[in-house]
Amino acid sequence: MSLTGPYDPDNIFAKILRGEVPAVTVWQDKHVLAFMDVFPQSEGHVLVISKTSQARNLLEVEPRDLARVTAAVQRTARAVERALSPEGISVMQLNGQAGGQTVFHLHFHIIPRWADRPVKGHGHAPMAELETLQALAERIAAALD
Ligand code: 5GP
């Protein structure tokens, strides 16, 4: 997938938004959804997406939708910090296949970091247990402003 082209309404995040594929929600409102990455690169890896925008990447998104998503990223990252006490947080956002993007619905990764725990490679992390993700999501949600 290049940086330009049509939005695929059958991408996995579109299916999650339509309720066709399950996801472990951290929080949502009418504009955004924060949910656990099912192949977490570290404990507490959260994804944040727009519910309304059909932008595939950062280049396509309307500024108003981007503002909502980035505000949601900050709110979620703050909750991750309070809930899990990471030493650092990596916020990652990939564009185009050559940029490492694998799901073509704009999203931001929130990846908690600890100095003594190597982060798993993007696209190389094993699938997490649902119960583990659910417990993490509840801890993060409980720490939201
Ligand atoms: P990208 O490679 O596009 O930046 O990131 C896509 C992310 O979506 C990856 O980190 C991947 O683990 C995650 N992912 C892929 N399929 C699913 C899924 O079905 N459910 C959830 N929750 N995450 C997914």
Side-chain angles (χ1 to χ4, degrees), residues 12-13 16 21 23 35-39 41 45 47 94 100-103 107 109 122:
I12 194 77
F13 294 171
I16 286 172
V21 168
F35 60 106
M36 303 307 294
D37 196 307
V38 79
F39 304 103
Q41 290 180 245
H45 183 166
L47 299 169
L94 305 175
Q101 186 176 11
T102 56
V103 178
H107 54 280
H109 299 256
H122 184 65

Side-chain angles (χ1 to χ4, degrees), residues 41-140:
Q41 290 180 245
S42 77
E43 185 181 48
H45 183 166
V46 181
L47 299 169
V48 180
I49 63 176
S50 170
K51 286 183 168 183
T52 51
S53 171
Q54 293 208 328
R56 300 186 318 157
N57 56 52
L58 187 70
L59 309 185
E60 294 177 353
V61 66
E62 292 294 330
R64 189 178 61 172
D65 293 318
L66 179 61
R68 287 176 174 141
V69 174
T70 52
V73 168
Q74 185 191 49
R75 181 173 189 230
T76 308
R78 286 176 169 166
V80 164
E81 195 277 326
R82 283 192 285 266
L84 306 180
S85 303
E87 294 164 329
I89 297 176
S90 298
V91 173
M92 183 169 79
Q93 192 281 311
L94 305 175
N95 299 282
Q97 197 164 31
Q101 186 176 11
T102 56
V103 178
F104 297 91
H105 178 115
L106 173 68
H107 54 280
F108 286 78
H109 299 256
I110 297 170
I111 304 175
R113 304 291 298 268
W114 291 265
D116 61 350
R117 298 191 216 169
V119 74
K120 297 186 179 72
H122 184 65
H124 299 286
M127 187 180 274
E129 297 286 339
L130 197 62
E131 299 73 30
T132 306
L133 294 181
Q134 193 63 52
L136 284 163
E138 285 170 16
R139 284 171 65 191
I140 298 166

